[in-house]
Amino acid sequence: YVSVMKLEVFVFYQEWKEAIELVRKAGNVRQFLTALFTSVRYTFLEALTYLKAAQSSSGWKKRQMKKCAHKAMQLIRGWAKNGNVNVVHYLHILDAELAVLQGKNKKAKKSFNAAIATSRRHGFLQDSALAHELASAYFKAQGDEFWRNYHIECSRTSYQEWGCSEKVEQLYVRCKDVKE
């Protein structure tokens, strides 16, 4: 359970290096997670972490990270196929990051938009904020400052609605740096 909480914090603060180290050390913790939500959330965070690691890797390591992400994504797809509507927004976020990895820009934009809409519609404000933040990073990498700024502001608003003032402050500082 502690690994899940640590991973949540690393992802929350976009500390991908620490997140991948934790995932690699933890191994298959799902077998020890008795609560369904905790197991599902860990699987999502694990897949996202592997995708982010693959995006910053090359060669064999990139292929290995992508393979691990696919394995976790298959679990989530199975849960969605079996009727768990609470994981659909996870799939959209992961599909967006996979599209980023593959250089499929139209698919990335479409999936980020679907992730934001689905997570918002189902009341997952923290995941809506995360999707906006990830979209902001994507648009920054694309050199699109308008959509980067739009998504970072939406992320701030979502985190504010969720009640996470420390994250709002972190994003405020990031936005301030952009405007100067």
Side-chain angles (χ1 to χ4, degrees), residues 12-14 133 159 164-171:
F12 191 65
Y13 286 103
Q14 311 283 305
E133 191 173 4
Y159 280 124
C164 189
S165 57
E166 188 173 322
K167 184 66 179 184
V168 171
E169 182 61 29
Q170 180 197 40
L171 294 176

Side-chain angles (χ1 to χ4, degrees), residues 96-114:
E97 288 296 332
L98 181 60
V100 170
L101 176 64
Q102 296 170 332
K104 297 180 178 178
N105 293 330
K106 279 186 176 181
K107 171 78 172 161
K109 291 175 189 177
K110 182 180 175 184
S111 295
F112 277 125
N113 287 335

Side-chain angles (χ1 to χ4, degrees), residues 2-113:
V2 172
S3 292
V4 179
M5 296 288 80
K6 283 183 177 180
L7 184 56
E8 186 84 52
V9 170
F10 290 146
V11 169
F12 191 65
Y13 286 103
Q14 311 283 305
E15 295 174 1
W16 301 113
K17 183 180 176 191
E18 293 84 351
I20 196 63
E21 287 174 11
L22 178 67
V23 167
R24 301 295 285 194
K25 285 180 188 174
N28 184 11
V29 299
R30 270 184 296 284
Q31 63 187 337
F32 303 110
L33 299 173
T34 56
L36 180 61
F37 171 78
T38 308
S39 180
V40 170
R41 185 69 180 179
Y42 179 83
T43 304
F44 163 67
L45 297 171
E46 175 188 38
L48 181 58
T49 299
Y50 278 126
L51 287 171
K52 296 305 277 187
Q55 290 171 10
S56 62
S57 300
S58 60
W60 178 83
K61 187 174 181 181
K62 182 176 187 169
R63 286 190 301 279
Q64 207 48 32
M65 297 293 129
K66 187 177 171 184
K67 181 180 175 183
C68 291
H70 271 292
K71 188 176 177 182
M73 288 173 72
Q74 285 307 108
L75 286 172
I76 298 171
R77 284 191 206 292
W79 296 328
K81 188 176 179 180
N82 287 331
N84 186 342
V85 297
N86 292 324
V87 300
V88 173
H89 67 290
Y90 289 165
L91 287 175
H92 290 304
I93 292 171
L94 296 172
D95 285 343
E97 288 296 332
L98 181 60
V100 170
L101 176 64
Q102 296 170 332
K104 297 180 178 178
N105 293 330
K106 279 186 176 181
K107 171 78 172 161
K109 291 175 189 177
K110 182 180 175 184
S111 295
F112 277 125
N113 287 335

